[in-house]
C-alpha cells in the first residue's frame, strides 16, 4: 500500500493536472510578444545549437515558435489538450512546418518518440516533478539524446531566492511594512493549503541545484547552472555529457 507521503504527492499532482488541464497560456511573466521574444533569445543562447529539439512541457507553444527558425525538426510535448490547441494555432500562424506536437506527460512521452534529439529542454516544468521524477526524466532523456547533445532545464525555482521574492524583497518599492504584510499573507496561504490538502505553492517545488547536479552526475553528465535573466528567483541547469562518460 502507498505510504502517507506518496498519497500526499499524488494529491498534489492531481491538483496541478486539474489546474493546467484547461489553461491556454504558458504562465510567462508577460504575454507581451517583445518579452517572449527576449526570453526565447536567452534560452536559445543556452541551448547553443543542435538540429533537432524536444520541448517537454511546451505549453501553448510561446517559446516553441521562436525556437523553430533555429532547428531542422522540433517536437513539442504537453499533457494539456487546451495548451496544445493554442500551440497548434501559433504554429499555423507562424507557418512552422518543422514542428510536431505530442500529448503526453513525463511518464508516457518516451514511448511516443520516433527519433532522438540534439537538445531536450523543459521550461518552467521541473518544479512540478519530485526529485525521483526528475531522476527518471533525466535517465529517460539520456536514452533519446544524440551524441554531443544536451538536456537544458529552464526556470527551476531556486529555494534560496524564491522565498525572498515571494515576500517582495526584490520589488522596487520593498519596505519593512510591505514585506511584513507579504509574510502574513504567505502564512495564511500555507495554513489554508494545509487544511484543504492543496499545494502550498501553485508554482510547485523549489529544487536545490546540488540535488539536480547529483542526479545528473549519476548518469554521466556534468551540469552548469545559470541564473535566469528574466525571473530573478529561477535558475537554469545545462546538462551535458562529460568527455569520459559512457552512453546509457
Amino acid at each position: 500500500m502507498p505510504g502517507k507521503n506518496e498519497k500526499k504527492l499524488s494529491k498534489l499532482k492531481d491538483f496541478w493536472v486539474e489546474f493546467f488541464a484547461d489553461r491556454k497560456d504558458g504562465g510567462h511573466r508577460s504575454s507581451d510578444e517583445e518579452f517572449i521574444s527576449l526570453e526565447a533569445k536567452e534560452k536559445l543562447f543556452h541551448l547553443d545549437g543542435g538540429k533537432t529539439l524536444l520541448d517537454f512541457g511546451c505549453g501553448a507553444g510561446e517559446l516553441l515558435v521562436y525556437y523553430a527558425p533555429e532547428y531542422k525538426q522540433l517536437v513539442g510535448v504537453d499533457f494539456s489538450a487546451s495548451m496544445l490547441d493554442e500551440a497548434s494555432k501559433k504554429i499555423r500562424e507562424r507557418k512552422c512546418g518543422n514542428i510536431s506536437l505530442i500529448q503526453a506527460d513525463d511518464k508516457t512521452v518516451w514511448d511516443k518518440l520516433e527519433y532522438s534529439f540534439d537538445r531536450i529542454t523543459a521550461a518552467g516544468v521541473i518544479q512540478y516533478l519530485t526529485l525521483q521524477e526528475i531522476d527518471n526524466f533525466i535517465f529517460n532523456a539520456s536514452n533519446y539524446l544524440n551524441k554531443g547533445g544536451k538536456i537544458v532545464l529552464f526556470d527551476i525555482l531556486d529555494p534560496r531566492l524564491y522565498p525572498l521574492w515571494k515576500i517582495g524583497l526584490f520589488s522596487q518599492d520593498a519596505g519593512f511594512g510591505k514585506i511584513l504584510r507579504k509574510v502574513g499573507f504567505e502564512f495564511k496561504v500555507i495554513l489554508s493549503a494545509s487544511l484543504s490538502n492543496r499545494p502550498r505553492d501553485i508554482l510547485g517545488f523549489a529544487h536545490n541545484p546540488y540535488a539536480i547536479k547529483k542526479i545528473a552526475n549519476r548518469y554521466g553528465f556534468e551540469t552548469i547552472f545559470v541564473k535566469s535573466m528574466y525571473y530573478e528567483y529561477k535558475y537554469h541547469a545545462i546538462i551535458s555529457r562529460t568527455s569520459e562518460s559512457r552512453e546509457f
Side-chain angles (χ1 to χ4, degrees), residues 30-88:
S30 170
S31 59
D32 182 81
E33 281 299 320
E34 182 179 0
F35 177 85
I36 299 292
S37 174
L38 290 171
E39 186 182 338
K41 286 179 181 178
E42 179 211 11
K43 288 173 167 57
L44 282 167
F45 176 81
H46 294 307
L47 286 168
D48 189 27
K51 294 183 179 180
T52 53
L53 180 141
L54 170 68
D55 184 8
F56 177 76
C58 67
E62 293 100 332
L63 296 171
L64 192 58
V65 293
Y66 281 101
Y67 296 160
E70 308 299 324
Y71 288 87
K72 182 178 179 180
Q73 191 66 40
L74 306 93
V75 175
V77 179
D78 206 279
F79 79 89
S80 169
S82 60
M83 288 280 207
L84 291 178
D85 285 342
E86 292 301 310
S88 294

Side-chain angles (χ1 to χ4, degrees), residues 128-161:
Y128 297 107
L129 303 181
T130 64
L131 286 175
Q132 182 58 57
E133 288 170 332
I134 294 171
D135 188 302
N136 295 338
F137 183 88
I138 291 176
F139 170 73
N140 287 318
S142 71
N143 292 319
Y144 285 88
L145 198 64
N146 292 332
K147 187 175 182 179
K150 296 179 181 179
I151 302 169
V152 186
L153 308 178
F154 288 120
D155 299 327
I156 305 170
L157 295 179
D158 191 331
R160 302 161 299 182
L161 298 176

